[in-house]
Amino acid sequence: MIAAILGTTGYTGMLLARLLADHPQVDQILPASSSKAGRKLSEVDPGFQDPGGKIPGDGALLTLEFVLERKPDVVFSALPHLESARLCAPFLADSVVIDLSADFRLKDPQTFQAAYGTPPPREDLLGQAVYGLPEWQAEAIRSGNLIANPGCYPTSVLLPLLPVADGGLIGGEIHVSSISGISGAGRKLKNDYLFCERSENACAYAAGRRHRHVSEMEEQLRFKAPGASILFVPHLAPLRKGMSSTIFVPLARPTTEAEVAGLFHSAYGGAPCIGLRADAIPQTAEVRGSNRCDIGWQIEGETLMLFSVLDNLMKGASGQAVQNMNIRMGFPETSGLSLAGEI
Amino acid sequence: MIAAILGTTGYTGMLLARLLADHPQVDQILPASSSKAGRKLSEVDPGFQDPGGKIPGDGALLTLEFVLERKPDVVFSALPHLESARLCAPFLADSVVIDLSADFRLKDPQTFQAAYGTPPPREDLLGQAVYGLPEWQAEAIRSGNLIANPGCYPTSVLLPLLPVADGGLIGGEIHVSSISGISGAGRKLKNDYLFCERSENACAYAAGRRHRHVSEMEEQLRFKAPGASILFVPHLAPLRKGMSSTIFVPLARPTTEAEVAGLFHSAYGGAPCIGLRADAIPQTAEVRGSNRCDIGWQIEGETLMLFSVLDNLMKGASGQAVQNMNIRMGFPETSGLSLAGEI
Amino acid sequence: MIAAILGTTGYTGMLLARLLADHPQVDQILPASSSKAGRKLSEVDPGFQDPGGKIPGDGALLTLEFVLERKPDVVFSALPHLESARLCAPFLADSVVIDLSADFRLKDPQTFQAAYGTPPPREDLLGQAVYGLPEWQAEAIRSGNLIANPGCYPTSVLLPLLPVADGGLIGGEIHVSSISGISGAGRKLKNDYLFCERSENACAYAAGRRHRHVSEMEEQLRFKAPGASILFVPHLAPLRKGMSSTIFVPLARPTTEAEVAGLFHSAYGGAPCIGLRADAIPQTAEVRGSNRCDIGWQIEGETLMLFSVLDNLMKGASGQAVQNMNIRMGFPETSGLSLAGEI
Amino acid sequence: MIAAILGTTGYTGMLLARLLADHPQVDQILPASSSKAGRKLSEVDPGFQDPGGKIPGDGALLTLEFVLERKPDVVFSALPHLESARLCAPFLADSVVIDLSADFRLKDPQTFQAAYGTPPPREDLLGQAVYGLPEWQAEAIRSGNLIANPGCYPTSVLLPLLPVADGGLIGGEIHVSSISGISGAGRKLKNDYLFCERSENACAYAAGRRHRHVSEMEEQLRFKAPGASILFVPHLAPLRKGMSSTIFVPLARPTTEAEVAGLFHSAYGGAPCIGLRADAIPQTAEVRGSNRCDIGWQIEGETLMLFSVLDNLMKGASGQAVQNMNIRMGFPETSGLSLAGEI
């Protein structure tokens, strides 16, 4: 099985390369980079190792054109929003495409326009794109050829909210407060992401409708709970990786923590990448390096509080993309993915 | 002017010692410690310096008994909850007492019992205790002899909420999500506070009614907005210092960001320790080491979002205690307190 | 194949459990803990996952007695120094024992006495203990039943120094300056290891002969370079994991960087866990989570500078222990061990 | 007294603005910035506060031309190397200039050429430049009009070495291993300084003669110990601020720790910014935010180990610059400078 990566030198691309190098069903990796083609990947990223020799030749980064000709079975696009759709579309002729950008995530072009200030770059392909949240879309993923890998914030918010929406418990505006590790912003060279700016610093940013991920959360949530609305405040804290979401849900009717537990267990009973934590509020360190999303819940009066944690580069990005590949290709769902956290 | 510190070797006590050493109106410092009396403070805390020679003798930590006899003008108690009240009460005979513990913060003994599982240790003194939030209680502080210094979470939540309560804008349950630096937990030797447990980790904890500080917030808030209720979720993130609170307020009536700005400006127009940030969401780094609390606000639909940041050891504890001393003793309000952040 | 862990709830034990859970040749794991036997490991350590169901029963931690009766093939002891030898010795009857403590590392009982202030706890067994530095002792490891897993500092210093000693290049006292992540101190509850004490802090400690690991380095080094002496200064910096050693070697004779490169290539040509970095000084982030030790070198005048980096919990402890198991049991040397770093 | 800052928006300029705002003898601050003139400083740097209203007008950043016309008493140049000399030279006509760049630090133009690949930008002024290490050059500083503020690494290495050189103890090549906080690199937008690249990472870099600061150390050291040579290895660790230097000095003759202590006490007996630590190895946290450099020492066999810590932005840059201003202007040496560390 041949897997390609477009945009190998950002954090999600670097992690994809490592996951695929250790993936038992992947035989060959084709790592592409528009800016660094020709240089060896292990030089650009000295933490990368390819003991199995899965990258052909001398391990050099390839051009997109070269990769296109090789007709890989699966193509992961870790390219930036608004570039990705155009560059990965040609691969659809011969490959399954898993796009980690936002370009195919929103079904409604108007919503995309409102969030990104421009129409979806390949609106013609939106119809065939599958929203790749594996715990909810496994069937569509199994037969999809264009999989839009969800954003990290939406994954951390939708996984706890969807069973609650299914249970008819949402009774008003949902308030979400999330904390993200800095790698969530990618490897962008911006003053804000310098060590000295982010260390010993915490803050909210892009609150409310201003954050692009809100549209994605709301669109998916409304398929189950029409009219539901989310007020979302992301925060940055000095972590490399990790996302913690705290969600306040006004209850539509009186319920119990046991009933909520029941909803989660029936939604996620067999899901290997979901950890249900009846006992304690989960911590990001417990899923660091893991493809799990751990979920806790608590009721106070008429409000349900939900807590989720995940590793924004794993279940929030590259790990979930590999999970999608596994499902699409018929491999075991967690093949090549660790469920244990890093120490 | 003689100032004493009870419990000098925790983080708030250590910071008090440094602030007082540089305070222009303080002539002598009497640092007490029950566990380390007799040892030099600069040995126990090598970061401490006393270039003005304000500590008598060789700079050694003193016993509480010794300090009591010296009848200091002001006594700061940085002792643990449930110990502090009993140990600082004897000082009331001759000194102004500023207590940094929770022992005198709650007016209602029942509320104290519910939060701490035991009656207030000196219920007889509750009546004379002043809640030391300087921007709201300056008059009472000026004549009080027992000042209960507010908790860091309540300070960060009440400063943005009180003007909004005053304006009659609170229309339903308030949701608060706060992030605290680890020093907020004090210098306790607990597995949870080890570097390797907290670094690269973020989590919610003690959500809802379980956190003791909620009673304090609600009691103070209800003096202005009877019946108001707060659902509070604190979080830990890998910072030494800093507190960021994000507050969702359901609006009682339609309003504008300009009206909210007006409320803040009339409440805090002359307040040197409040920074109003119409332009941007504030960040904890901007008030690190400062005695400021910076506040931002934003309206989305029928919900007002408030953002506050402060340094939990400064405006959230020791800095606010010195501010209280300044007001009580008739010194300039920010004497000995930096308003600029640390680089 | 059955592997047991004694002392599963410290950092090295927790990591061993995770490595063994993913290890393709390990069928069953017996995790023992004297203090927490009876509790489920996944409760004590929520980051741990056992998707393969390798821990028998309900996943509970076991007593040492229970494990002893099961006669595991391999026993890892992650118990504290001075306790480990006595508690793991009984397992020698039926199991290969890999001891991660210092108890069997020193050949010379006098040296042990000098470093630890007490004789080696099981001096009678020192003769049969193999020093488990796989790149140098593979043959002895293959047939050893008691393997003393090296310390993290000695591993990071010996791997770069031994080829240089072999080449006869050591011409005087060696100066070593190492930086360690905080997990190197284990999971001890000590004021010094609190987040607020170590964050934004760097320091040297236990300089010179005072550090116990110096004896271990010197004893091993002198087998190749009799009389060699090391002046060693360890440092702490605010990292969870990672060790960087900078070594100044006075050259015994003029040489070139090319000759030094040759020494390294002939010593480590086929070694999967050594990365030779002719191009650049390695960084700990490049081996974070990996079982690699990366080495760089540079000559200035008559001094050779060596640079090594490793993950103190992996190649510096648990990863190296698994590497030793692999060699002893005839598995591929890096079975179950990642060579790529964590993102 | 009017003080100006050229280059106010880097870390050293930002800190200078804060120190001067609180400085009792400074009446007016003129903050210049070539890139951001016209914008308010408190907008560019929200952590900055000017409660005394020392910046004229509305607090906006000024052009260099404007500042030049105002003939400030003292001008601090926090401009980049190779730019600073040319831009601050015109101010020499009417102002004392304290240059924080490297442009005037080296006396020997050849040495500058070798280190920077270009001749000193204003070689004509080198003769009148005073090397502003206050503990050693106080007399020259008192009458100098062009003060070259030392680099952070040289300060941390020279302060412990100079008394030892004075004592004739240097007997061979000196090995120095230093750890620096990331702010030592300034506020440069470089991939290497991103949070995700530096967090959980430690490494040596620019070892040996490759680091520009070595020339500065050696030139100054040789004025006392002709021919002395230093092999220097700087390291980065995930701290914002702080510098720890560990120095190995081969002793020229047998000596004792008491004799070394004597050298330090006679060199620094009255120096307010030096902390002599006979008892323990100092830690950077103990001088964080302070203008102190703390020094420890230890002898092992024929080698003397020296340990120094300082805050690279304070005693390593802006704090030392203010100390130089104080000496030059006849103010108390530590006026406006904290000797206590930040909590």
Side-chain angles (χ1 to χ4, degrees):
Chain A
M1 212 282 275
I2 304 181
I5 305 167
L6 314 183
T8 313
T9 63
Y11 294 130
T12 54
M14 287 162 68
L15 179 52
L16 278 168
R18 292 166 198 218
L19 292 173
L20 297 176
D22 284 339
H23 195 289
Q25 281 89 17
V26 171
D27 304 301
Q28 197 174 63
I29 306 172
L30 303 175
S33 166
S34 25
S35 58
K36 290 178 182 151
R39 292 183 58 191
K40 286 186 69 168
L41 176 53
S42 62
E43 274 168 27
V44 173
D45 172 14
F48 175 75
Q49 295 282 317
D50 182 20
K54 292 188 181 180
I55 303 184
D58 63 347
L61 291 160
L62 310 167
T63 61
L64 269 69
E65 293 69 30
F66 180 90
V67 171
L68 184 61
E69 277 170 27
R70 300 288 285 266
K71 305 186 181 178
D73 299 285
V74 175
V75 171
F76 294 94
S77 175
L79 296 166
H81 304 318
L82 305 178
E83 276 182 42
S84 185
R86 266 185 278 269
L87 291 167
C88 70
F91 289 85
L92 281 169
D94 297 294
S95 309
V96 170
V97 171
I98 301 176
D99 181 20
L100 284 81
S101 87
D103 288 356
F104 297 113
R105 288 180 194 156
L106 293 167
K107 288 289 161 208
D108 181 353
Q110 316 275 35
T111 310
F112 192 98
Q113 167 86 45
Y116 292 88
T118 172
R122 287 297 302 262
E123 191 173 332
D124 56 313
L125 296 173
L126 287 187
Q128 68 177 89
V130 174
Y131 188 73
L133 193 61
E135 287 74 16
W136 293 90
Q137 306 286 347
E139 202 150 310
I141 292 163
R142 244 170 242 124
S143 58
N145 287 325
L146 174 55
I147 298 169
N149 211 57
C152 47
Y153 284 123
T155 299
S156 87
V157 171
L158 289 169
L159 286 173
L161 268 183
L162 289 176
V164 169
D166 248 0
L169 291 180
I170 298 176
E173 186 183 71
I174 296 161
H175 297 157
V176 179
S177 169
S178 295
I179 301 170
S180 174
I182 312 301
S183 62
R187 213 179 182 185
K188 292 189 203 81
L189 206 51
K190 243 185 91 174
N191 199 62
D192 279 356
Y193 303 138
L194 290 175
F195 183 88
C196 292
E197 303 295 318
R198 293 267 58 89
S199 174
E200 274 294 290
N201 196 2
C203 65
Y205 71 100
R209 308 288 159 209
R210 295 177 194 175
H211 199 287
R212 291 164 168 190
H213 281 322
V214 178
S215 323
E216 185 182 336
M217 295 174 198
E218 283 190 342
E219 186 176 85
Q220 290 295 320
L221 184 61
R222 287 174 181 168
F223 292 139
K224 297 211 169 282
S229 85
I230 294 175
L231 200 44
F232 174 64
V233 183
H235 297 74
L236 288 180
L239 310 131
R240 302 180 71 260
K241 300 186 297 180
M243 178 163 287
S244 159
S245 287
T246 292
I247 305 173
F248 301 88
V249 184
L251 285 166
R253 55 177 169 80
T255 184
T256 62
E257 291 180 1
E259 191 197 344
V260 173
L263 291 171
F264 280 119
H265 281 281
S266 68
Y268 297 130
C273 297
I274 305 289
L276 299 180
R277 304 286 301 276
D279 54 323
I281 297 180
Q283 312 201 6
T284 63
E286 295 161 0
V287 295
R288 190 172 52 220
S290 154
N291 200 50
R292 264 157 51 214
C293 174
D294 276 16
I295 298 174
W297 54 92
Q298 183 180 327
I299 293 175
E300 291 273 337
E302 296 166 12
T303 306
L304 167 65
M305 290 180 287
L306 301 171
F307 309 100
S308 76
V309 292
L310 53 74
D311 179 322
N312 56 294
L313 292 180
M314 285 291 292
K315 184 64 178 163
S318 307
Q320 184 147 272
V322 170
Q323 189 183 359
N324 277 319
M325 174 187 78
N326 288 338
I327 292 171
R328 175 64 182 76
M329 306 302 282
F331 307 149
E333 186 168 344
T334 58
S335 193
L337 294 170
S338 176
L339 294 184
E342 289 162 4
I343 288 282
Chain B
M1 211 281 275
I2 304 182
I5 305 166
L6 313 183
T8 314
T9 63
Y11 295 130
T12 53
M14 287 161 69
L15 179 53
L16 278 168
R18 292 166 199 218
L19 293 173
L20 298 176
D22 284 339
H23 195 290
Q25 281 89 17
V26 172
D27 305 301
Q28 197 174 63
I29 306 172
L30 303 175
S33 166
S34 25
S35 59
K36 290 178 181 152
R39 292 182 58 190
K40 286 187 70 168
L41 176 53
S42 63
E43 274 169 27
V44 173
D45 172 13
F48 175 76
Q49 294 283 317
D50 182 20
K54 292 187 182 182
I55 302 184
D58 64 346
L61 290 161
L62 310 167
T63 62
L64 270 68
E65 295 67 31
F66 180 91
V67 171
L68 184 61
E69 276 169 29
R70 300 289 285 265
K71 305 184 180 179
D73 300 284
V74 175
V75 171
F76 295 95
S77 175
L79 295 165
H81 305 319
L82 304 177
E83 275 183 42
S84 185
R86 265 185 279 269
L87 291 167
C88 71
F91 290 86
L92 281 168
D94 297 293
S95 309
V96 171
V97 172
I98 300 175
D99 181 20
L100 284 80
S101 87
D103 288 356
F104 297 113
R105 289 180 194 155
L106 292 168
K107 289 290 162 208
D108 180 352
Q110 315 277 35
T111 309
F112 192 99
Q113 168 84 46
Y116 292 88
T118 174
R122 288 297 301 262
E123 192 173 332
D124 57 312
L125 296 173
L126 287 186
Q128 70 177 90
V130 175
Y131 188 73
L133 193 61
E135 287 74 16
W136 292 89
Q137 306 286 347
E139 202 152 311
I141 292 164
R142 245 171 242 122
S143 58
N145 287 326
L146 175 55
I147 298 169
N149 212 57
C152 47
Y153 283 122
T155 299
S156 86
V157 171
L158 289 169
L159 286 174
L161 267 183
L162 290 176
V164 169
D166 249 359
L169 291 180
I170 298 176
E173 186 183 70
I174 297 161
H175 297 159
V176 179
S177 169
S178 295
I179 301 170
S180 173
I182 312 300
S183 62
R187 213 180 183 185
K188 290 188 205 81
L189 206 51
K190 244 185 91 175
N191 199 62
D192 278 357
Y193 304 138
L194 290 176
F195 183 88
C196 292
E197 303 295 318
R198 294 266 58 89
S199 174
E200 275 293 291
N201 196 3
C203 65
Y205 71 99
R209 308 288 160 209
R210 294 177 195 175
H211 200 287
R212 292 164 167 190
H213 281 322
V214 178
S215 323
E216 185 182 336
M217 295 175 199
E218 283 190 342
E219 186 175 85
Q220 290 296 320
L221 183 62
R222 286 174 182 168
F223 292 138
K224 296 212 168 281
S229 86
I230 294 175
L231 199 45
F232 173 64
V233 183
H235 297 74
L236 289 180
L239 310 132
R240 303 180 70 260
K241 301 186 296 179
M243 179 163 286
S244 160
S245 287
T246 292
I247 305 173
F248 300 89
V249 184
L251 286 166
R253 54 177 169 81
T255 183
T256 61
E257 291 180 1
E259 192 197 344
V260 174
L263 291 171
F264 280 119
H265 281 282
S266 67
Y268 296 130
C273 297
I274 304 290
L276 299 180
R277 304 286 300 276
D279 54 323
I281 297 180
Q283 313 202 6
T284 63
E286 295 160 0
V287 295
R288 189 171 54 220
S290 153
N291 200 49
R292 263 157 53 214
C293 174
D294 276 15
I295 298 173
W297 54 93
Q298 184 180 329
I299 293 175
E300 291 273 337
E302 296 166 11
T303 306
L304 168 64
M305 289 180 287
L306 301 171
F307 309 100
S308 77
V309 292
L310 53 75
D311 179 322
N312 57 293
L313 292 180
M314 285 290 293
K315 183 64 179 165
S318 307
Q320 183 147 274
V322 169
Q323 188 184 0
N324 277 319
M325 175 187 78
N326 288 339
I327 293 171
R328 175 64 182 76
M329 306 302 282
F331 307 147
E333 186 169 343
T334 58
S335 192
L337 293 170
S338 176
L339 294 185
E342 290 161 3
I343 288 282
Chain C
M1 210 283 275
I2 304 182
I5 305 166
L6 313 183
T8 314
T9 64
Y11 295 130
T12 53
M14 287 162 68
L15 179 52
L16 278 168
R18 293 166 198 217
L19 293 173
L20 298 176
D22 285 339
H23 195 289
Q25 281 90 16
V26 172
D27 304 301
Q28 197 174 63
I29 307 171
L30 303 175
S33 166
S34 26
S35 59
K36 291 177 182 152
R39 293 183 59 191
K40 286 187 68 168
L41 177 52
S42 62
E43 274 168 28
V44 173
D45 173 13
F48 175 76
Q49 295 282 317
D50 182 20
K54 293 188 181 181
I55 302 184
D58 64 346
L61 290 161
L62 310 167
T63 61
L64 269 68
E65 294 70 31
F66 181 91
V67 171
L68 184 61
E69 277 169 28
R70 299 290 283 268
K71 304 185 181 176
D73 300 286
V74 175
V75 171
F76 294 95
S77 175
L79 296 167
H81 304 319
L82 305 178
E83 275 183 42
S84 186
R86 266 184 278 269
L87 291 167
C88 70
F91 289 86
L92 280 168
D94 297 293
S95 310
V96 170
V97 171
I98 300 174
D99 181 21
L100 284 80
S101 86
D103 288 356
F104 297 114
R105 289 180 194 155
L106 292 168
K107 289 290 163 209
D108 180 355
Q110 315 277 35
T111 309
F112 192 98
Q113 168 85 45
Y116 292 88
T118 172
R122 287 298 302 262
E123 192 173 331
D124 56 313
L125 296 173
L126 287 187
Q128 69 177 91
V130 174
Y131 189 72
L133 193 62
E135 287 74 16
W136 293 88
Q137 305 286 347
E139 201 151 312
I141 292 164
R142 245 171 242 123
S143 58
N145 287 326
L146 174 56
I147 298 168
N149 211 56
C152 47
Y153 284 122
T155 300
S156 87
V157 170
L158 289 169
L159 287 174
L161 267 183
L162 290 177
V164 170
D166 249 359
L169 292 179
I170 298 176
E173 186 183 68
I174 297 161
H175 297 158
V176 179
S177 169
S178 296
I179 302 171
S180 173
I182 312 300
S183 62
R187 213 180 183 185
K188 291 189 204 80
L189 206 52
K190 243 185 92 174
N191 199 64
D192 278 357
Y193 304 138
L194 291 175
F195 183 88
C196 293
E197 303 295 320
R198 294 266 59 88
S199 174
E200 276 292 290
N201 196 3
C203 65
Y205 70 100
R209 308 287 158 210
R210 295 176 194 176
H211 200 288
R212 291 164 168 189
H213 282 322
V214 178
S215 323
E216 186 182 336
M217 296 173 197
E218 283 189 342
E219 186 176 86
Q220 290 295 321
L221 183 61
R222 287 174 181 168
F223 292 139
K224 295 209 169 285
S229 85
I230 293 176
L231 199 44
F232 173 64
V233 183
H235 297 74
L236 288 180
L239 311 133
R240 303 179 70 261
K241 301 185 297 180
M243 179 163 287
S244 160
S245 288
T246 292
I247 305 172
F248 300 88
V249 184
L251 286 167
R253 55 178 168 80
T255 182
T256 63
E257 292 181 1
E259 190 197 345
V260 173
L263 291 172
F264 280 119
H265 281 281
S266 68
Y268 297 131
C273 296
I274 304 289
L276 298 180
R277 304 286 300 277
D279 55 324
I281 296 180
Q283 312 201 5
T284 63
E286 295 160 0
V287 295
R288 191 172 52 220
S290 154
N291 199 50
R292 264 158 51 214
C293 175
D294 277 15
I295 298 173
W297 54 92
Q298 183 180 327
I299 293 175
E300 291 273 337
E302 296 167 13
T303 306
L304 167 65
M305 290 181 287
L306 301 171
F307 309 101
S308 76
V309 292
L310 52 75
D311 178 322
N312 56 294
L313 292 180
M314 285 290 294
K315 183 64 178 165
S318 307
Q320 183 147 275
V322 170
Q323 188 183 359
N324 277 318
M325 175 187 78
N326 288 338
I327 293 172
R328 176 63 182 76
M329 305 301 282
F331 307 148
E333 186 168 344
T334 60
S335 193
L337 294 170
S338 176
L339 294 185
E342 290 162 4
I343 287 281
Chain D
M1 211 281 276
I2 304 181
I5 305 167
L6 313 184
T8 313
T9 64
Y11 294 130
T12 54
M14 287 162 68
L15 179 52
L16 278 168
R18 292 165 199 220
L19 292 173
L20 297 176
D22 285 340
H23 195 289
Q25 281 89 17
V26 172
D27 305 301
Q28 197 174 64
I29 307 171
L30 303 176
S33 166
S34 25
S35 59
K36 291 177 180 150
R39 294 184 56 192
K40 284 187 70 167
L41 176 53
S42 63
E43 274 170 27
V44 172
D45 172 14
F48 175 76
Q49 295 283 317
D50 182 20
K54 293 187 180 179
I55 302 184
D58 63 347
L61 290 161
L62 310 167
T63 61
L64 269 69
E65 293 70 30
F66 180 92
V67 171
L68 184 61
E69 277 169 28
R70 299 291 283 267
K71 304 185 180 178
D73 300 285
V74 175
V75 172
F76 294 96
S77 175
L79 296 166
H81 304 319
L82 305 179
E83 275 184 41
S84 186
R86 265 184 279 268
L87 291 167
C88 71
F91 290 85
L92 282 168
D94 298 293
S95 309
V96 170
V97 172
I98 301 175
D99 181 21
L100 284 80
S101 86
D103 288 356
F104 297 114
R105 289 180 194 155
L106 292 168
K107 289 289 160 210
D108 180 353
Q110 316 276 34
T111 309
F112 193 97
Q113 167 85 45
Y116 292 88
T118 173
R122 289 296 303 261
E123 192 172 332
D124 55 313
L125 297 173
L126 287 186
Q128 70 177 89
V130 174
Y131 188 73
L133 192 63
E135 287 74 16
W136 293 89
Q137 306 285 348
E139 202 150 313
I141 292 165
R142 243 170 244 124
S143 57
N145 286 327
L146 174 56
I147 298 168
N149 212 56
C152 47
Y153 283 122
T155 299
S156 87
V157 170
L158 290 169
L159 286 174
L161 268 182
L162 290 176
V164 170
D166 249 359
L169 291 180
I170 298 176
E173 186 183 68
I174 296 161
H175 297 158
V176 179
S177 169
S178 296
I179 301 171
S180 174
I182 312 301
S183 63
R187 213 181 183 183
K188 289 188 205 82
L189 205 51
K190 242 185 93 175
N191 199 63
D192 278 356
Y193 303 138
L194 290 175
F195 183 87
C196 292
E197 303 294 320
R198 294 266 58 89
S199 175
E200 276 292 290
N201 197 3
C203 64
Y205 69 100
R209 309 286 161 212
R210 296 178 195 175
H211 200 288
R212 291 164 168 189
H213 281 322
V214 179
S215 323
E216 185 182 337
M217 296 175 197
E218 283 190 343
E219 186 175 86
Q220 290 295 320
L221 183 62
R222 287 174 181 169
F223 292 139
K224 296 211 169 282
S229 85
I230 293 176
L231 198 45
F232 174 63
V233 183
H235 297 74
L236 288 180
L239 311 132
R240 303 181 70 260
K241 300 185 296 180
M243 180 163 286
S244 160
S245 288
T246 292
I247 306 172
F248 300 88
V249 184
L251 286 166
R253 55 177 168 80
T255 181
T256 63
E257 291 180 1
E259 191 198 344
V260 173
L263 291 172
F264 281 118
H265 280 282
S266 68
Y268 297 129
C273 296
I274 304 289
L276 298 180
R277 304 286 302 276
D279 55 324
I281 297 180
Q283 312 201 6
T284 63
E286 296 160 0
V287 294
R288 189 172 53 220
S290 153
N291 199 50
R292 263 158 51 214
C293 174
D294 277 15
I295 299 172
W297 55 90
Q298 184 180 326
I299 293 175
E300 292 273 338
E302 296 166 13
T303 306
L304 167 65
M305 289 180 288
L306 301 171
F307 309 100
S308 76
V309 292
L310 51 76
D311 180 322
N312 56 293
L313 292 180
M314 285 291 293
K315 183 64 178 165
S318 307
Q320 183 147 274
V322 170
Q323 187 183 0
N324 278 319
M325 174 186 79
N326 289 338
I327 292 171
R328 175 63 183 75
M329 305 301 283
F331 307 148
E333 186 169 344
T334 59
S335 193
L337 294 170
S338 177
L339 293 186
E342 290 161 4
I343 288 281

